[in-house]
Amino acid sequence: MRALTRGGYNVVHERVEAPAALSAALERQSWDVVVADYMMPSLPGAVAFDLVRQRDADLPFIFVSGVSGEDAAVAAMRLGARDYILKYNIDRLAPAVDRELGEGGARRERRRVEQRLAYLAYHDALTDLPNRLLLQDRLAQALRVATRTNSAVALLLLDLNGFKAINDTLGHHAGDRVLQCVASRMRGMLRGADTVARLGGDEFAVVLPVTDVDGALLTAEKVLQEIEQPCMIEHRPLSVRASLGIACFPEHGRSAGTLLERADVAMYVAKSDGVGIAVYAPDQDHHAHRRLTLVAELRKGLSENQFNLEYQPIVHLPTNVVTGVEALVRWHHPQRGLVMPDTFIHLAEQTGLINPLTTIVLETAIREWSDPPTMPPLKVAINLSPRTLQDPGLPRRIADMLSVYNMPPESLALEITENILMSDPARSMDSLKRLHSMGVRIVIDDFGTGYSSLSYLRRLPIDELKIDRSFVAGLHTGQDDVIVRATIDLAHNLGLSVVAEGVESDEVQARLMELGCDAAQGTFIRAPAPAAAIREWMGGQNLLGLM
């Protein structure tokens, strides 16, 4: 040890001369390096090395020996020793320890990372639950045992209702905390033999070995009751509900893949029918088939130009002049007829088809309202989904469309919801700023139904607020008079104009004028129609407004 002390080390060491003593020393504490005599009679070097490696594969191990033969050194290194130092050249020990401490630390860190990566390959990083891959393995294992023992296995699939609203209004941090809360509760209430996994997003799965349909239903009820208890997130109670589907071996399927598919069908039924829990039945297959069919038809409709636009005018209330139109997409399905957006927009967002659909809407609206130009100039408003706004290429594509059709950027208005930034704030804000700097108007749609915060509004490069129709509809009874008045005052104080949507009566329109609202739209003013019909209607409307 004197050689290491001369090398600058403050050495804490323990000398052992038998295998049992070495094992005990390794058990008592962690060590930085092991130095062993290659030829010690009571503890041969090969035995010492093997004991150390059983405890720690990365602990630096250096042989020191008086045997100078090349064969002995080669044999020692083949064992896996990091160095072989002769006693007459003991001054090499300190540099060797220097090197090995550095390399040993690097080896430990590399192994730690490898172990973590191996763990993450089978576990969800957020909740620490098994992931889809490990779930499939556990399910397949449970099915093999059930086949051998003639027992049952239940598979539960569930997703959370109301989770998107938490993400949208409070941000992903709160959503992540809710997922962790749900995961912890599910893990805590199930048996040790059960497996609870997170499949992604807000979807979870549970494998229940030796459990039939009745047992699965009892567990499902307990799971839903547990999930529905509020999670305390930053001193705020947040509640979610769940929809849960059940499929069991052997009656609903004999393979992991079949059970996963059928539990998913049952979950879809539970969600669409609002029943909370559904057990798979063969007559449910039409639900899954209907959804898959609609996705395929939606994809085909995009490629075959089955979508066109209708427009609803926006009227400036003080002058009764049409100052803009909102583009509303319609699907003219060859068999289903006219399909309205509430049937397919959510499906397009879920399947990634919203971006090509939005491109069609943008190109059509810009083309139909750029030539011939209108007098006075009109704004054409188009709704954007969060997924589309996160596309970094969106501002460039819009700039190219405006250039091709020679439409001024200020004639285009893009409508977003208050919650649109919550899913990916950095990319969404970047796109908004680039679009706004081009001159495109940015409008907050459905104002009052989402994250209505003054500090939030100040961050956004916006020009206009649209009051949600649910508040406008209550004006004729005076129910939401205060909300609408406050929204108009807030917008004007921020230098924003205000549009009220959903105007369905002369009484409501008159009240909006009294409250100082700038503009309005609704079926009382004009129902949506194709561009040609709106142009014809506008001719008389604008002439009347200017008289």
Side-chain angles (χ1 to χ4, degrees):
M1 297 301 103
R2 286 194 298 271
L4 292 177
T5 303
R6 289 197 304 272
Y9 285 99
N10 180 22
V11 181
V12 175
H13 72 283
E14 183 174 342
R15 180 183 176 87
V16 295
E17 297 185 357
L22 175 57
S23 295
L26 292 170
E27 185 71 31
R28 267 193 305 275
Q29 70 179 75
S30 61
W31 299 93
D32 296 312
V33 64
V34 175
V35 180
D37 190 323
Y38 184 64
M39 299 298 289
M40 182 181 292
S42 59
L43 183 55
V47 174
F49 181 82
D50 186 54
L51 287 171
V52 170
R53 282 294 168 264
Q54 289 177 27
R55 299 277 180 173
D56 187 343
D58 296 310
L59 182 60
F61 193 107
I62 298 173
F63 278 123
V64 174
S65 180
V67 179
S68 60
E70 182 179 331
D71 290 346
V74 170
M77 300 304 286
R78 280 179 175 169
L79 283 174
R82 305 303 303 174
D83 210 336
Y84 186 92
I85 295 171
L86 295 172
K87 290 181 179 179
Y88 70 76
N89 196 16
I90 200 65
D91 287 343
R92 280 192 58 231
L93 182 59
V97 169
D98 280 343
R99 182 189 70 246
E100 287 310 310
L101 290 178
E103 292 183 1
R107 285 195 301 275
R108 279 196 174 91
E109 177 62 18
R110 185 165 58 249
R111 188 176 294 273
R112 187 192 68 78
V113 170
E114 289 170 353
Q115 290 172 343
R116 179 61 178 164
L117 290 174
Y119 182 84
L120 289 177
Y122 294 97
H123 291 81
D124 172 56
L126 178 66
T127 62
D128 209 36
L129 292 178
N131 62 12
R132 183 182 292 271
L133 194 60
L134 184 53
L135 172 90
Q136 290 172 329
D137 182 72
R138 297 266 180 90
L139 178 58
Q141 183 179 345
L143 294 179
R144 285 194 294 270
V145 172
T147 301
R148 201 165 54 243
T149 60
N150 196 30
S151 58
V153 177
L155 174 66
L156 281 55
L157 282 190
L158 68 93
D159 73 359
L160 304 180
N161 309 327
F163 178 72
K164 183 177 183 299
I166 292 173
N167 258 354
D168 287 347
T169 57
L170 300 177
H172 276 261
H173 172 69
D176 288 348
R177 294 281 303 278
V178 169
L179 291 174
Q180 290 169 336
C181 174
V182 168
S184 176
R185 288 178 175 177
M186 291 177 65
R187 185 164 40 202
M189 66 172 294
L190 295 171
R191 305 169 300 181
D194 302 333
T195 296
V196 55
R198 182 186 176 209
L199 303 187
D202 61 349
E203 189 173 1
F204 295 83
V206 179
V207 176
L208 303 173
V210 198
T211 304
D212 59 13
V213 171
D214 291 338
L217 282 168
L218 286 173
T219 300
E221 290 283 0
K222 293 176 183 176
V223 167
L224 292 195
Q225 289 172 12
E226 189 68 24
I227 288 174
E228 289 171 9
Q229 300 304 310
C231 297
M232 293 302 297
I233 308 298
E234 297 175 352
H235 309 295
R236 176 187 306 192
L238 297 179
S239 298
V240 291
R241 299 173 68 85
S243 298
L244 192 151
I246 298 172
C248 290
F249 170 90
E251 55 262 56
H252 301 142
R254 306 189 69 87
S255 70
T258 301
L259 288 177
L260 282 164
E261 288 175 5
R262 292 180 172 174
D264 187 61
V265 168
M267 182 180 72
Y268 178 75
V269 171
K271 181 178 284 288
S272 60
D273 292 353
V275 294
I277 300 171
V279 178
Y280 172 78
D283 62 0
Q284 295 171 351
D285 283 333
H286 73 279
H287 288 272
H289 178 71
R290 184 173 61 198
R291 185 177 186 275
L292 291 173
T293 299
L294 192 59
V295 171
E297 291 173 352
L298 181 59
R299 201 179 302 276
K300 183 179 180 183
L302 290 170
S303 65
E304 295 184 355
N305 300 316
Q306 294 175 6
F307 294 86
N308 58 22
L309 302 183
E310 291 184 347
Y311 301 90
Q312 185 167 50
I314 300 169
V315 172
H316 183 238
L317 288 174
T319 62
N320 207 34
V321 169
V322 179
T323 57
V325 293
E326 180 180 357
L328 304 167
V329 65
R330 305 290 187 249
W331 183 6
H332 290 269
H333 193 286
Q335 284 80 43
R336 301 172 189 262
L338 182 64
V339 182
M340 302 302 281
D342 56 358
T343 301
F344 61 85
I345 288 294
H346 183 59
L347 193 61
E349 289 175 338
Q350 288 182 326
T351 56
L353 295 174
I354 193 66
N355 281 353
L357 178 60
T358 302
T359 298
I360 290 173
V361 172
L362 281 164
E363 194 275 336
T364 303
I366 292 172
R367 171 172 48 81
E368 291 190 336
W369 290 95
S370 60
D371 185 38
T374 58
M375 290 300 293
L378 281 181
K379 296 188 303 291
V380 181
I382 296 168
N383 291 279
L384 286 189
S385 81
R387 185 186 288 256
T388 302
L389 189 60
Q390 291 163 17
D391 179 1
L394 177 68
R396 181 70 263 166
R397 286 205 310 278
I398 289 177
D400 289 343
M401 290 180 195
L402 293 171
S403 176
V404 166
Y405 292 105
N406 198 30
M407 175 182 273
E410 57 270 19
S411 294
L412 178 64
L414 298 177
E415 297 189 0
I416 62 174
T417 62
E418 296 165 83
N419 306 327
I420 201 166
L421 291 182
M422 292 304 176
S423 53
D424 193 335
R427 281 202 293 178
S428 299
M429 185 66 84
D430 179 65
S431 287
L432 283 181
K433 287 179 177 177
R434 289 167 61 194
L435 288 162
H436 197 256
S437 67
M438 288 162 44
V440 174
R441 291 176 62 83
I442 307 298
V443 180
I444 295 289
D445 193 17
D446 300 335
F447 184 78
T449 61
Y451 192 66
S452 305
S453 160
L454 182 59
S455 60
Y456 177 83
L457 289 176
R458 288 187 184 279
R459 292 172 49 213
L460 296 172
I462 57 176
D463 304 283
E464 189 174 284
L465 296 184
K466 292 185 81 170
I467 306 174
D468 185 66
R469 64 181 63 248
S470 61
F471 300 119
V472 174
L475 277 179
H476 74 282
T477 61
Q479 178 181 346
D480 291 316
D481 202 282
V482 174
I483 295 175
V484 174
R485 182 194 298 273
T487 301
I488 293 169
D489 291 344
L490 170 65
H492 288 166
N493 288 335
L494 292 173
L496 308 175
S497 58
V498 188
V499 177
E501 54 185 359
V503 175
E504 307 298 333
S505 70
D506 180 60
E507 182 183 1
V508 168
Q509 183 171 338
R511 183 60 184 144
L512 287 167
M513 290 183 65
E514 292 174 9
L515 293 174
C517 188
D518 300 298
Q521 66 183 97
T523 54
F524 173 74
I525 297 170
R526 180 65 164 90
I534 295 298
R535 284 182 187 277
E536 182 179 351
W537 175 84
M538 278 172 48
Q541 180 71 16
N542 282 354
L543 182 61
L544 179 65
L546 293 171
M547 289 176 62

